[in-house]
Amino acid sequence: MALRIGGAVLDLDRGTLRRDGEIVPVQPKTLELLAFLTRNPGRVLSKDELLQAVWPGIIVTEDSLTQSIRDARKSIGDEAQALIRTVPRRGYLFQLPETEAAQPPAAAAARAEPTVAVLPFDVDPADATAKALFDGAVEEITNALSYFKTVAVLARHSAFALAEHSREDIRATAERLGADYITEGRVETAGTEYGARVVLTETASGRRVWSQSFTFATADIFAFQTMVAQRIVTALVANIESAVMRRGLPAPAANVEAYLHFLRGKELLRSYGEGVNQAARAHFLKAIELNPQSGLAHAYLALAEVIIGGYNDAPRAVLDQARDRALHAIALSPDEARCHRMLALTLLYRGRDEYDAVEKHFARALDLNPYDADTLAQTGFFRALRGDGEVGLALLDKAVQLNPMHPTWYYYDRGEALLALGRYQEAAASFSCLPRKSAWQWARLAACHAFASDHGKALACVIEGRALEPDLTIAQIVQDMRMEREEDRERLRRGLELAGWDTAI
């Protein structure tokens, strides 16, 4: 049974809480408290009754209850205490805003293939090289599994966050995230060799589906990750075609030192901070120096240079060079989905004249790897830019399903799709989740609030955005837009005018 609580959906059967279609990480006791409150709407519940319901047979202080109430309000967006009300000297009252049960998302209901989460392997944290190698191996195993259209894979970002979020009860957390199976590994170092034991477990029953021990030299890390991916799929699905598996193999000329530089560069590119993108670029260049045949290193270098150049504002020479690098990456690795995705992104930043080519390479990336969450999300964003918000949002929602603990840029891409659909309040909610906003992002948020007739919030967003870029005008924002249709760009212009972007300061 699922209940809608304000902007959240609490699924009592699965033990999940979602907001804007995304899983909200919630402590088990907080979920129990929410479940008890929703089962007793409209009734004042004493503190003793709540303590007995949530902590039966355990002596805890009222501080535990107070903290759980605070966490529950935060998780459902009830900071104003309109849903969970404090009744002085009596307890708490939950006022159910809507009694109609919420329906599960159609995409989740329709999903027939099993979903697998590959968790980070247990490696001695003091061994930095082994940690980097096996974190990379887990990502490559995840990527290789995605090539099999009969298996869905929880994205790497969510799988790693899952392990960090709930080490005490991984199975329960994995089940809440929709993972039917989890893969775990333990690594030991013995001289120049590694020993790894990998286990595949069914989350619902705890049944061990498959396990195997591997011993291999450092240089055999690529063969190891390919074999693990193949054994996982073989354990779950019959009649796996070996030709499909070959598409997930890394370039034969790869070497471990180059691979480590590639991994370090990719992690830096995913992070935030002064100089991280430049440092990532240096690692990609070193990876290419050591292994010129690495298509992925060339592809990620192209993206790094576009980011350093300022995305849309990058000089034409930078965008031309990035395009050529990404084309070279595809020439080296024509069946690597991520190379096609990187080319699509570099072409996207070159302007609307390139959109047919962008669409071709996003489609090729999805054909090669239909369960890559980042490709689904970026393709959805692109579809929204072309005016097809419904398809774009569906792709983004599928990406969120595969990667519920996704990177923050998903919020921006989903906000763009909702904005294209005219669902302004939902778009504002998505843009608001961005922890750090540029002036252009404040502008979109301001337009959403203005269209939703919340002029106070619109003005506040204008003030924030203009403080970052005092000289940024509506004309510049609209000119910078990548929306293909003139009517979509004009709609944004109207929203910014309603918000008072050019006149508020």
Side-chain angles (χ1 to χ4, degrees), residues 315-330:
R316 193 68 183 184
V318 171
L319 292 172
D320 287 348
Q321 184 181 45
R323 175 203 56 199
D324 293 344
R325 285 193 187 280
L327 285 168
H328 182 58
I330 289 176

Side-chain angles (χ1 to χ4, degrees), residues 186-214:
R186 177 180 292 275
V187 178
E188 293 183 355
T189 305
T192 60
E193 292 188 333
Y194 290 113
R197 181 165 182 79
V198 186
V199 179
L200 177 69
T201 306
E202 186 178 53
T203 56
S205 65
R207 179 175 62 91
R208 181 173 295 181
V209 178
W210 164 80
S211 66
Q212 187 170 346
S213 295
F214 301 85

Side-chain angles (χ1 to χ4, degrees), residues 9-12 14-18 23 31 175-177:
V9 176
L10 175 64
D11 190 326
L12 298 176
R14 291 181 64 85
T16 60
L17 184 71
R18 292 178 180 269
I23 291 285
L31 270 175
E175 193 171 5
R176 286 201 297 273
L177 289 176

Side-chain angles (χ1 to χ4, degrees), residues 175-355:
E175 193 171 5
R176 286 201 297 273
L177 289 176
D180 303 293
Y181 300 88
I182 55 174
T183 302
E184 300 172 276
R186 177 180 292 275
V187 178
E188 293 183 355
T189 305
T192 60
E193 292 188 333
Y194 290 113
R197 181 165 182 79
V198 186
V199 179
L200 177 69
T201 306
E202 186 178 53
T203 56
S205 65
R207 179 175 62 91
R208 181 173 295 181
V209 178
W210 164 80
S211 66
Q212 187 170 346
S213 295
F214 301 85
T215 301
F216 55 92
T218 304
D220 294 328
I221 186 76
F222 305 110
F224 162 75
Q225 62 200 29
T226 300
M227 183 177 292
V228 169
Q230 191 170 29
R231 296 292 169 83
I232 290 171
V233 176
T234 303
L236 295 175
V237 185
N239 302 318
I240 298 299
E241 296 180 4
S242 59
V244 179
M245 188 63 229
R246 282 198 296 273
R247 296 202 316 217
L249 288 170
N255 63 71
V256 172
E257 188 178 354
Y259 183 55
L260 282 169
H261 279 288
F262 168 70
L263 293 174
R264 288 165 184 154
K266 191 163 55 172
E267 288 305 307
L268 284 165
L269 203 64
R270 287 170 170 166
S271 64
Y272 297 91
E274 188 69 27
V276 293
N277 296 319
Q278 289 78 3
R281 180 180 184 275
H283 278 294
F284 295 140
L285 285 169
K286 187 64 177 177
I288 291 169
E289 177 188 335
L290 294 168
N291 179 17
Q293 302 304 308
S294 172
L296 278 176
H298 284 282
Y300 274 84
L301 175 60
L303 180 61
E305 291 181 337
V306 170
I307 293 172
I308 293 168
Y311 297 97
N312 299 340
D313 295 327
R316 193 68 183 184
V318 171
L319 292 172
D320 287 348
Q321 184 181 45
R323 175 203 56 199
D324 293 344
R325 285 193 187 280
L327 285 168
H328 182 58
I330 289 176
L332 291 170
S333 305
D335 290 329
E336 171 53 69
R338 287 169 288 183
C339 292
H340 286 274
R341 175 161 62 91
M342 294 305 165
L343 176 58
L345 288 173
T346 60
L347 294 174
L348 175 61
Y349 295 125
R350 289 170 58 83
R352 290 187 287 272
D353 291 343
E354 303 278 6
Y355 277 12

